[in-house]
Each structure stands twice: as structure tokens, then as C-alpha cells.
């Protein structure tokens, strides 16, 4: 019970940050994802969706039905409440699940996205393999982390460091756990050899498709 209470506090804290400091990034990132993938209909899975704000932005900017998946049940409940606020219950479905065993059938998703979660995956290659498994032919995965552009990044980093002076050091640790050499190795183990790795003002993103639409960097 004590651990459940801690998880709930963490979920509520993250939701507060997502609805304030991080709030401007979600439509920017959603637009970038939709443009890169050139997919705006069908089904989308947001892995490690947290309180659901990216999933909500993707549904708002497209005709996709988005499944917002998180392994923490308190986070799923918060996502359900957020989806209800936007009256998107018919377009966004929060679900409980883990990237190690995504609870969807093979070839069931046109688009798989994840912002900020892959830094914490227990097994990168397993996560990448599962994302590829659920993609339909021609579908794309867009996985990584970022703030959309340099202006948003700089402002958000400033605000977060005011709240948590150790955040920048934590961020470096997260990156070290899945830097490009580690990601390339994990993709190879997953049998994924065609992909893009991008590091620029939009963030740090890994893109691959079922059908070879992307190419090795």
C-alpha cells in the first residue's frame, strides 16, 4: 500500500508538470510525428504515455484512434480523467500495459510513439522488438525524447532546474543509458536494421518502419 501511495504521488506530480511546464510541447511534437510518419488515420499506440497529453494532442491533430499505454495504473487513471476533460473518450483509450509485452495483436498499429519512456525501459531491444511487432506493414515507430524546438527546450530546462537543481544531472544519466551506440546495438539485437536516429533541436528520436521507409543513419 505504501508503494501504491508513492506511485500515486509520482503520477500526480508528473501530471501537474505535464499540464503546466511541459504543456506547450505536446502539440509541437505531435505535429512533428504526424509529418514525419505521414500517417493521420488508423490506430496509434503511445508507449509510456503518462497522463496522456501527447496522445490527446495526436488525436486532436489527426483522425487517429490513440491508445495511451502506461504500466502504472495510477497514471492510467489520471490519463482517463484528462481524456474526459477534452471529451475525447471515443478517440483516446488509456490502457495498462508494459513495453516488454505490449497487450495488442501483431500488426495492429499504424503508428507507435513514445516520448520520454525509453530512457527507462528495462530491455531496449525487447521494447523495440515489441514496437515493431505491433506495427502494420507501412507503419512507423517514433520513439525518444525532446521538447519540440530550441526555444521550448531552453525555457523548460530553466523552469525544471528551478524546481529540481539536480535534474540536469539526472537527464545526463538517462541519456547515458540509451545513447546512440547503445540504441544501435539494441536495434540490431531486435533485428531492426533500417532506422533513423536524430539528435537536433526537436530532441533525440529513433524512427523505424515496417517496410523500410526509413534508412540507416
Amino acid at each position: 500500500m505504501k508503494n501504491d501511495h508513492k506511485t500515486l504521488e509520482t503520477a500526480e506530480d508528473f501530471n501537474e508538470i505535464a499540464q503546466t511546464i511541459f504543456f506547450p510541447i505536446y502539440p509541437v511534437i505531435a505535429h512533428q510525428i504526424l509529418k514525419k510518419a505521414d500517417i493521420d488515420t488508423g490506430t496509434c499506440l503511445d508507449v509510456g504515455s503518462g497522463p496522456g497529453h501527447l496522445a490527446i494532442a495526436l488525436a486532436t491533430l489527426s483522425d487517429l484512434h490513440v491508445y495511451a499505454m502506461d504500466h502504472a495504473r495510477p497514471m492510467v487513471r489520471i490519463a482517463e480523467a484528462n481524456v474526459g476533460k477534452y471529451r475525447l473518450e471515443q478517440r483516446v483509450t488509456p490502457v495498462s500495459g508494459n513495453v516488454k509485452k505490449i497487450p495488442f495483436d501483431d500488426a495492429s498499429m499504424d503508428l507507435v510513439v513514445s516520448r520520454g519512456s525509453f530512457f527507462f525501459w528495462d530491455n531496449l531491444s525487447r521494447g523495440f522488438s515489441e514496437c515493431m511487432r505491433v506495427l502494420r506493414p507501412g507503419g512507423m515507430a517514433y520513439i525518444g525524447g525532446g521538447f519540440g524546438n530550441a526555444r521550448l527546450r531552453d525555457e523548460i530546462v530553466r523552469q525544471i532546474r528551478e524546481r529540481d537543481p539536480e535534474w540536469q544531472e539526472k537527464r545526463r544519466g538517462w541519456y547515458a543509458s540509451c545513447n546512440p551506440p547503445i540504441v544501435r546495438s539494441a536495434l540490431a539485437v531486435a533485428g531492426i536494421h533500417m532506422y533513423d536516429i536524430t539528435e537536433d533541436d526537436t530532441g533525440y528520436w529513433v524512427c523505424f518502419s515496417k517496410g523500410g521507409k526509413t534508412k540507416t543513419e
Side-chain angles (χ1 to χ4, degrees):
M1 182 67 107
K2 185 177 179 181
N3 288 338
D4 288 344
H5 180 63
K6 184 176 180 181
T7 301
L8 180 59
E9 286 182 341
T10 301
E12 290 175 341
D13 288 344
F14 190 78
N15 184 49
E16 187 268 327
I17 292 171
Q19 292 187 120
T20 55
I21 296 174
F22 281 13
F23 194 75
I25 73 173
Y26 299 111
V28 174
I29 294 173
H31 174 75
Q32 291 166 348
I33 291 171
L34 295 169
K35 182 178 179 181
K36 172 78 172 180
D38 193 25
I39 295 169
D40 64 0
T41 60
T43 53
C44 172
L45 174 65
D46 182 2
V47 175
S49 58
H53 293 85
L54 179 58
I56 289 167
L58 285 163
T60 301
L61 295 175
S62 74
D63 291 322
L64 289 161
H65 186 101
V66 185
Y67 293 91
M69 186 186 80
D70 202 280
H71 75 280
R73 292 188 182 276
M75 200 71 87
V76 175
R77 290 195 292 271
I78 289 172
E80 289 172 345
N82 287 333
V83 169
K85 289 177 185 177
Y86 288 91
R87 299 182 179 179
L88 285 170
E89 294 93 338
Q90 302 304 312
R91 299 284 314 289
V92 182
T93 305
V95 295
S96 178
N98 195 299
V99 72
K100 292 186 291 187
K101 190 175 182 181
I102 294 175
F104 289 96
D105 292 338
D106 295 359
S108 56
M109 297 290 160
D110 297 282
L111 181 62
V112 174
V113 305
S114 182
R115 183 209 166 270
S117 79
F118 91 137
F119 300 103
F120 308 102
W121 292 358
D122 292 334
N123 187 320
L124 273 176
S125 60
R126 176 66 177 174
F128 289 140
S129 178
E130 278 291 280
C131 290
M132 180 64 90
R133 177 184 66 79
V134 299
L135 279 178
R136 293 188 176 118
M140 178 175 284
Y142 193 105
I143 297 164
F147 302 105
N149 58 50
R151 181 186 61 79
L152 286 171
R153 179 197 63 211
D154 294 346
E155 177 60 21
I156 288 168
V157 168
R158 181 189 66 77
Q159 293 184 62
I160 289 292
R161 290 180 68 181
E162 288 178 358
R163 293 175 62 118
D164 181 1
E166 298 179 357
W167 182 80
Q168 196 75 345
E169 186 63 31
K170 294 175 185 176
R171 188 183 180 200
R172 281 192 285 268
W174 301 332
Y175 177 83
S177 70
C178 58
N179 61 35
I182 291 173
V183 165
R184 283 192 289 267
S185 176
L187 288 164
V189 171
I192 300 169
H193 304 290
M194 300 292 288
Y195 55 85
D196 290 334
I197 296 179
T198 302
E199 289 188 274
D200 57 20
D201 287 342
T202 69
Y204 172 37
W205 302 100
V206 182
C207 298
F208 55 84
S209 65
K210 185 169 285 185
K213 288 170 66 178
T214 55
K215 61 184 179 181
T216 306
E217 59 166 2

